[in-house]
Amino acid sequence: MGFTIGGTRGIGQIRTGSRRRGRTTEATVVAEYTGLWGWAVIPGARAASGKCSCGDARCAAPGAHPLDFALEVPAGATLDEAGKAWADVPGASLLLPVGRSFDILDVAAPVGRRALVRMERMGLPLGPVTATPDGRCQFFVAPGAAAGLPRLLYRMGWDDADLDLRCLGPGDHITAPPSDRGGLGPVRWLRPPSPDTATAPPEARLLLGTLAYICHRSRS
């Protein structure tokens, strides 16, 4: 049983079916990401009391990195496939690989929330946006933003500004809602994905000016 973006099978139907077959909550969410939004999901480590489940006492990213031994659940995976994959890694966090369907503009949470309100008032195109428990907001933008960020900041006149703004791209991963990040609490959606924004998030240049301006104002 598969899922298609924009098809007649909705999230509520997926959840109903999952309860009927005894699926885990994590597997159901994985199936939503892979089947509805077209994103791959990677099982990730968890953290408690500052210690990572990977067992490395010197782990650089406790509870916020992929498990070395776990397999990626590819985009398009069905609920059955997601259930089988997550049965091998019970309790794993849900990570999304960056640089494929989207890149991420990452800013401090107060900046992100203010910027989001302003962007909505301006009618700017917006993709999904998350809030992390460590005080960041993450804006999903079209792939390629990480490589093009220095050039975009230069063209906008922000290249020499001290901005708390970074862009995640290929090789990076983000913790997906509702998973816990680093033992600090769950990641939450400020703007959840939709069929349109999941497959075609906005170009970074459309959001970068507002984010850079508010970042700059917040530091002055």
Side-chain angles (χ1 to χ4, degrees), residues 5-72:
I5 294 175
T8 58
R9 192 168 186 81
I11 293 176
Q13 291 172 289
I14 294 174
R15 286 178 174 159
T16 299
S18 70
R19 287 195 297 269
R20 189 167 55 244
R21 287 183 294 275
R23 300 295 186 189
T24 65
T25 299
E26 291 85 358
T28 301
V29 177
V30 171
E32 291 175 6
Y33 284 141
T34 60
L36 288 177
W37 314 132
W39 299 334
V41 180
I42 299 175
R46 295 272 191 171
S49 302
K51 296 182 179 180
C52 187
S53 64
C54 71
D56 185 351
R58 296 176 296 177
C59 180
H65 65 85
L67 294 171
D68 291 337
F69 59 85
L71 297 178
E72 174 182 306

Side-chain angles (χ1 to χ4, degrees), residues 25 103-104 131 158 216:
T25 299
D103 279 5
I104 293 290
W158 293 110
H216 178 69

Side-chain angles (χ1 to χ4, degrees), residues 2-155:
F3 313 107
T4 57
I5 294 175
T8 58
R9 192 168 186 81
I11 293 176
Q13 291 172 289
I14 294 174
R15 286 178 174 159
T16 299
S18 70
R19 287 195 297 269
R20 189 167 55 244
R21 287 183 294 275
R23 300 295 186 189
T24 65
T25 299
E26 291 85 358
T28 301
V29 177
V30 171
E32 291 175 6
Y33 284 141
T34 60
L36 288 177
W37 314 132
W39 299 334
V41 180
I42 299 175
R46 295 272 191 171
S49 302
K51 296 182 179 180
C52 187
S53 64
C54 71
D56 185 351
R58 296 176 296 177
C59 180
H65 65 85
L67 294 171
D68 291 337
F69 59 85
L71 297 178
E72 174 182 306
V73 185
T78 66
L79 179 56
D80 287 341
E81 291 166 341
K84 290 177 182 177
W86 233 253
D88 294 332
V89 286
S93 63
L94 281 65
L95 302 184
L96 303 178
V98 185
R100 301 182 192 176
S101 300
F102 56 82
D103 279 5
I104 293 290
L105 291 176
D106 179 284
V107 296
V111 169
R113 292 178 183 274
R114 287 174 56 195
L116 183 57
V117 171
R118 178 171 294 194
M119 291 172 185
E120 289 175 335
R121 289 175 178 170
M122 295 169 64
L124 294 177
L126 288 165
V129 183
T130 64
T132 70
D134 53 346
R136 309 297 293 181
C137 280
Q138 298 181 324
F139 290 74
F140 287 49
V141 293
L149 185 64
R151 176 177 53 84
L152 283 173
L153 289 173
Y154 174 78
R155 290 175 58 186

